[in-house]
Amino acid sequence: MWKILFVEKVKIAVFASGSGSNALNIFNYFKNHPQIEISLLACNRSDAEVLKHAQSCCIDTVVFNKATFYAEESILHVLKEKQIQLIVLAGFLLKVPDVMIASYRDRILNIHPALLPKFGGKGMYGMHVHKAVIEQNEKVSGITIHLVDEIYDNGKILFREKVDVLPEDTPESLAAKIKILEHKHYPEVIEKFIFSTLKKES
Ligand code: GRF
């Protein structure tokens, strides 16, 4: 099945809730890619900055609220209708429902702004992560890109990159250093994952 789909481009849906700097970076990276396209931006906040990025990059969007996301399978239907093969979470704050995980088993990627398994789990997002890292006097932090399963920040780790936490670092300065790592690595890891995993199945 993947063989046929590889003749066409592999279609990715990006899920994001916020400002979407990673999403925008991913849109730009894959803009003229011969084999991969970003086909959809899924977002649970109608006022999210990331929607503007999607519009400026001419990427279709679907906006939903939390209740719809969990109560119905309408988003799953949209994904199927658009023949989405991979879901990429980029600052998506809702937990992905089990039915979606089952339908996209090992086909959902997430990026976390710390070195999992430390500093992960429910409530560990955004500045909460960086504050905790600084409070616990960690000497290194970094990014983790992993598969998503039914448990928060628990899926198989695909990639980690470290950055030093300096004595003068604040949560804000650490966040800025980590954002640079995210932008540098996330698109490449997505691309490598597609070629090493989806292509192998063709
Ligand atoms: C990133 O730090 C990512 O690690 C986390 O959510 C944040 C999203 O940031 N999952 P942005 O909206 O892409 O700037």
Side-chain angles (χ1 to χ4, degrees):
M1 183 178 80
W2 292 111
K3 196 174 211 163
I4 297 161
L5 293 171
F6 246 92
V7 173
E8 294 175 14
K9 291 186 180 184
V10 170
K11 295 181 171 61
I12 299 177
V14 174
F15 280 50
S17 304
S19 62
S21 74
N22 278 282
L24 179 60
N25 184 51
I26 291 166
F27 298 160
N28 287 330
Y29 185 88
F30 289 107
K31 193 157 60 184
N32 295 313
H33 198 289
Q35 287 173 291
I36 298 168
E37 73 174 31
I38 309 300
S39 306
L40 185 70
L41 182 271
C43 179
N44 63 299
R45 282 186 40 205
S46 57
D47 61 344
E49 193 74 15
V50 68
L51 287 168
K52 292 183 194 147
H53 297 324
Q55 279 146 18
S56 72
C57 295
C58 299
I59 290 168
D60 287 352
T61 58
V62 58
V63 182
F64 46 85
N65 61 28
K66 195 174 171 180
T68 308
F69 191 49
Y70 291 118
E72 302 163 22
E73 290 185 18
S74 54
I75 307 308
L76 200 49
H77 290 308
V78 174
L79 298 179
K80 297 291 176 191
E81 219 172 75
K82 293 189 79 68
Q83 299 184 315
I84 299 298
Q85 291 152 265
L86 186 75
I87 296 173
V88 168
L89 308 185
F92 186 65
L93 291 181
L94 299 180
K95 189 172 184 300
V96 179
D98 288 357
V99 62
M100 195 173 282
I101 292 171
S103 191
Y104 280 88
R105 177 73 59 199
D106 297 337
R107 295 290 173 269
I108 308 178
L109 268 55
N110 182 44
I111 187 162
H112 187 78
L115 297 172
L116 292 175
K118 286 179 101 175
F119 303 103
K122 196 167 168 28
M124 271 295 171
Y125 62 89
M127 292 307 282
H128 299 293
V129 178
H130 308 305
K131 278 182 189 150
V133 167
I134 301 262
E135 272 164 24
Q136 292 185 34
N137 288 315
E138 294 289 319
K139 299 287 172 266
V140 288
S141 189
I143 62 168
T144 307
I145 298 169
H146 64 96
L147 294 174
V148 172
D149 66 13
E150 286 81 356
I151 303 166
Y152 267 118
D153 298 327
N154 176 72
K156 182 182 169 192
I157 291 174
L158 303 174
F159 178 88
R160 296 200 316 165
E161 180 74 298
K162 293 177 182 169
V163 67
D164 290 335
V165 182
L166 304 174
E168 63 269 28
D169 267 323
T170 61
E172 289 75 18
S173 69
L174 182 57
K177 290 198 285 194
I178 284 184
K179 204 52 79 73
I180 291 168
L181 284 187
E182 292 185 336
H183 292 176
K184 179 170 178 214
H185 294 290
Y186 203 13
E188 285 175 11
V189 173
I190 295 165
E191 187 180 33
K192 279 190 190 136
F193 177 81
I194 288 171
F195 284 114
S196 66
T197 309
L198 297 189
K199 197 160 171 65
K200 259 192 198 159
E201 293 173 1
S202 64

